[in-house]
Amino acid sequence: MSLVDTTAYRPDPTPDAAYVHALAADAPIAHAVTRGSIDVQLATRHAGMRQVTLRYQLQGPASAPVVFVAGGISAHRHLAANAAHAEAGWLDSLVATGRTLDPSQLRLLAFDFVGADGTLDAPIDTTDQADAIAALLDALGIARLHAFVGYSYGALVGLQFAARHAPRVQRLVAVSGAHRAHPYAAAWRALQRQAVALGQLQCADAQGLSLARQFAMLSYRTPEEFAERFDAAPEIVNGRVRVAAEDYLDAAGARYVSRTPLTAWLRLSESIDLHRVDPRDIRVPTTVVAVEGDRLVPLADAVTLLEGLGPSGQLRVLRSPYGHDAFLKETDRIDALLATALRAPTSGDQA
């Protein structure tokens, strides 16, 4: 029995402005953008058959190789600003002309994770995300990806996709993600979820989620960065001691609450901890990118993943003060690693 059943396919009703302009000018559609959604019946690992809506964005020339791009649990389908959608994306610095992920040279596909809209209040597994992507490819008529590029949670999903749907991807780049959740990181996230639960008990959902996000910011970055940025002496404000980093943390929490449904955060946080994949099941050529000082995905876990991958795997290590967030900050170095990984030949490439 199929894991997914596509029940409806809906491109956005209004053609993208860039596409219309290119047609009118009889110009090449280098950055054509399509947004749409499909409804699927998804056989989830822990919650049975569920109907979910997959919202996607596809950008680039129709004849170009397709690269799927996925980020952390806060990421979404809009990778970068474009002529049709001018708002900033979550990966603007790496999706641009001249970069490896150049939308004039590649067809870039991304989606909103299953559960990201907060409507699915049930355990969500990375296998569910991988199967949803396979369903999306079916609906779009994409037989095989040139590459899957995953960062953080997206790397976990990429590993599952490579294990479960190997014929549909030529190569995988997994940045700051491993085959399992490290117990230290899982404990950290468990405390974040307890902060949300306390907020709910006090009818203060936003405050609980904000506090959870602030805890998360400490795990994403490193003590070295905080020492450099927030070394000012504490102040006494209204009779309370306030340390230098608190304004930064408060702002991060407020931004996150303004755009994230509480249920979505809870279920996707859990999904990270549910993640398990046997590296031996991954036979797709895989580049693992690890960051020294990443407290969520330690280098030792990346090495263990690499050992399980055998000859299909290779490891690249970055040293960065940004820890787990290095993929968002070390853009030139990440771009160089992507260039090497995406342009390397594989046995499935055409001559």
Side-chain angles (χ1 to χ4, degrees):
M1 182 176 66
S2 174
L3 292 171
V4 292
D5 174 31
T6 303
T7 57
Y9 167 54
R10 301 186 300 274
D12 283 359
T14 305
D16 289 297
Y19 182 82
V20 173
H21 175 75
L23 285 179
D26 196 25
I29 308 170
H31 295 267
V33 182
T34 301
R35 277 187 177 178
S37 62
I38 63 169
D39 294 334
V40 302
Q41 293 291 331
L42 185 66
T44 69
R45 184 169 186 175
H46 304 286
M49 192 68 70
R50 298 292 181 118
Q51 179 168 314
V52 297
T53 299
L54 307 181
R55 297 174 178 86
Y56 71 90
Q57 181 169 294
L58 182 61
Q59 178 179 1
S63 60
V66 180
V67 176
F68 195 95
V69 183
I73 62 172
S74 303
H76 43 76
R77 62 179 173 171
H78 184 53
L79 299 176
N82 54 62
H85 306 284
E87 66 274 18
W90 65 270
L91 201 59
D92 277 292
S93 57
L94 282 168
V95 174
T97 302
R99 291 292 196 182
T100 303
L101 298 178
D102 186 336
S104 69
Q105 304 298 318
L106 295 171
R107 208 172 180 207
L108 303 177
L109 175 61
F111 84 152
D112 294 344
F113 287 118
V114 173
D117 60 2
T119 60
L120 179 56
D121 192 6
I124 301 168
D125 201 90
T126 50
T127 59
D128 303 332
Q129 307 287 4
D131 293 343
I133 292 169
L136 178 59
L137 297 182
D138 288 342
L140 297 176
I142 299 171
R144 196 178 193 204
L145 297 171
H146 174 68
F148 190 119
V149 177
Y151 308 91
S152 189
Y153 183 66
L156 314 188
V157 175
L159 291 165
Q160 289 286 14
F161 187 83
R164 296 171 69 83
H165 304 283
R168 309 205 67 169
V169 59
Q170 289 180 314
R171 52 179 69 81
L172 167 66
V173 182
V175 183
S176 296
H179 55 295
R180 61 187 287 272
H182 191 279
Y184 175 87
W188 194 284
R189 282 185 292 271
L191 290 178
Q192 293 171 42
R193 294 193 291 268
Q194 288 189 30
V196 169
L198 285 173
Q200 291 176 304
L201 286 173
Q202 299 177 36
C203 298
D205 291 9
Q207 289 84 346
L209 182 57
S210 174
L211 184 58
R213 180 62 174 182
Q214 293 177 56
F215 278 131
M217 296 305 296
L218 294 178
S219 67
Y220 296 154
R221 301 299 180 88
T222 65
E224 291 76 17
E225 183 194 6
F226 270 68
E228 182 176 336
R229 294 179 60 183
F230 306 114
D231 196 30
E235 298 179 345
I236 297 176
V237 179
N238 297 326
R240 299 280 185 173
V241 173
R242 187 170 179 85
V243 302
E246 287 189 64
D247 288 345
Y248 163 78
L249 295 173
D250 285 345
R255 284 195 305 271
Y256 197 72
V257 167
S258 69
R259 64 177 188 263
T260 307
L262 185 146
T263 300
W265 179 85
L266 279 172
R267 292 306 189 174
L268 291 174
S269 171
E270 293 173 344
S271 185
I272 301 172
D273 295 329
L274 286 172
H275 172 71
R276 294 290 189 279
V277 62
D278 188 337
R280 295 171 298 181
D281 292 337
I282 301 170
R283 296 179 177 85
V284 173
T286 300
T287 300
V288 178
V289 180
V291 180
E292 287 189 13
D294 186 339
R295 297 199 286 171
L296 295 181
V297 187
L299 179 57
D301 278 8
V303 172
T304 301
L305 170 59
L306 180 72
E307 292 171 346
L309 291 171
S312 66
Q314 58 178 328
L315 176 64
R316 298 290 182 266
V317 180
L318 293 180
R319 178 173 293 173
S320 170
Y322 299 113
H324 190 72
D325 270 358
F327 72 90
L328 294 171
K329 306 292 287 185
E330 303 282 6
T331 52
D332 291 341
R333 297 165 72 191
I334 292 293
D335 187 62
L337 291 172
L338 290 179
T340 301
L342 266 60
R343 292 166 188 168
T346 72
S347 59
D349 290 333
Q350 299 295 319

